[in-house]
Amino acid sequence: MTPLITLLALSAALLHASWNAMAKAGSKPLFNIAAYQLVSTLLCVLFLPFVPVPDAGSWPFLFASVVIHTAYYLTLARAYQSGDLSAVYPLFRGLAPLLVTIGGVVFAAEFLSTGGVIGVCIISAGIMSLAFSGSTATRLSRAALFWGTSTAMLISLYTIADGLGVRATENPYSYIIWLFVLESIPVTIYLLVSDRAGWIAYIKTNKSQALIGGAASTVAYGLVIFAMSLGAMAIVSALRETSVIFATLIGTLVLKEPFGKHRMRAAIIVVTGILVMRFA
């Protein structure tokens, strides 16, 4: 694990936690998420003339990622409606690296070193401990567990699809830009059909939030995809999910959700896992 991969993934983690907190803070998480993705598409359209069309081998992964991302946005919104940010976010973000590690072996023959596997497991354990510690566990309803687990599975699937897709094209930037251009189309159409008036009204009254959240989500996942072109998907996924530590701080300081000593223990566990991966 190189310092560059670590820097890219941790930077993505901070941005990812920020836009997820913004999505959770609103009364309509799906509107928030869809608005961010629409802004992402509009921003990336500007860059299309400067990147080549992705190579043919990457298009199946590109289309698969768009479909998986669409399902992910729907389950993510339901997860945020079912539980607190500090409860559901650690659940699906902690479980995802373990699933990506398995998927990397199955779909990409990507085997981590013993230290890498141990580091991923430590990070996942530290992250998920936030979802099942103290009073937080009481806010994980059956619905939150279901939607959180479903979201974790979809996160792992789109991570693997994008990890393979970005490696199947010569220019990684072309894959990143085209993914962001395409991925907002399905969810935007869905909202225009299901709640056109509400969706348009939301966009008109939340332009600034949509712009900030969209820019943050674009840069965050763009950094992740680029990092996966340089290193193992499981390692990048585990580092990216340290966004949970940032999210719990945001949840406490901004959203006024409870804070406890278990958060400090989880942070220490996560840092330990990063160090194991870094120096194994």
Side-chain angles (χ1 to χ4, degrees):
M1 182 174 68
T2 66
L4 176 59
I5 291 175
T6 303
L7 177 62
L8 290 171
L10 293 180
S11 298
L14 177 57
L15 289 169
H16 191 272
S18 299
W19 82 255
N20 271 261
M22 292 173 65
K24 166 63 178 175
S27 60
K28 292 184 176 293
L30 183 57
F31 278 11
N32 290 340
I33 294 167
Y36 302 161
Q37 301 319 306
L38 179 59
V39 168
S40 177
T41 290
L42 296 177
L43 290 174
C44 288
V45 163
L46 300 176
F47 293 95
L48 278 182
F50 304 101
V51 296
V53 175
D55 296 337
S58 68
W59 279 98
F61 301 107
L62 193 58
F63 285 128
S65 180
V66 170
V67 172
I68 298 167
H69 267 94
T70 301
Y72 158 71
Y73 295 137
L74 297 175
T75 61
L76 180 64
R78 293 297 295 270
Y80 284 158
Q81 290 171 339
S82 304
D84 285 351
L85 175 71
S86 57
V88 294
Y89 193 76
L91 174 62
F92 53 73
R93 286 297 165 185
L95 183 58
L98 296 177
L99 298 176
V100 172
T101 301
I102 297 171
V105 172
V106 174
F107 296 106
E110 192 174 85
F111 296 90
L112 300 183
S113 65
T114 300
V117 173
I118 294 173
V120 169
C121 290
I122 291 174
I123 289 175
S124 289
I127 292 171
M128 283 194 290
S129 71
L130 289 169
F132 298 98
S133 298
S135 60
T136 300
T138 64
R139 295 193 297 277
L140 270 175
S141 63
R142 185 173 299 179
L145 282 170
F146 174 79
W147 291 113
T149 302
S150 299
T151 301
M153 295 177 65
L154 292 168
I155 290 170
S156 65
L157 288 174
Y158 76 61
T159 299
I160 293 167
D162 289 333
L164 295 174
V166 75
R167 297 173 186 178
T169 190
E170 183 175 354
N171 188 325
Y173 300 108
S174 65
Y175 184 92
I176 294 169
I177 295 299
W178 275 89
L179 173 64
F180 288 136
V181 167
L182 295 174
E183 73 170 0
S184 75
I185 296 175
V187 71
T188 299
I189 293 175
Y190 169 77
L191 288 177
L192 287 175
V193 172
S194 63
D195 191 0
R196 181 184 183 88
W199 170 234
I200 293 177
Y202 174 88
I203 292 293
K204 290 180 178 179
T205 57
N206 293 274
K207 293 178 182 178
S208 297
Q209 179 182 334
L211 181 60
I212 295 172
S217 66
T218 302
V219 176
Y221 197 54
L223 291 175
V224 168
I225 298 175
F226 184 74
M228 288 193 294
S229 73
L230 304 175
M233 293 181 288
I235 296 296
V236 175
S237 176
L239 288 174
R240 177 203 186 189
E241 307 313 359
T242 58
S243 59
V244 171
I245 301 302
F246 297 117
T248 54
L249 291 174
I250 294 171
T252 299
L253 299 176
V254 180
L255 304 182
K256 307 304 180 184
E257 296 177 355
F259 185 87
K261 292 182 179 179
H262 59 280
R263 300 189 187 280
M264 181 61 70
R265 291 194 296 269
I268 293 173
I269 294 172
V270 168
V271 171
T272 300
I274 294 174
L275 293 175
V276 169
M277 287 195 306
R278 178 69 182 87
F279 297 106

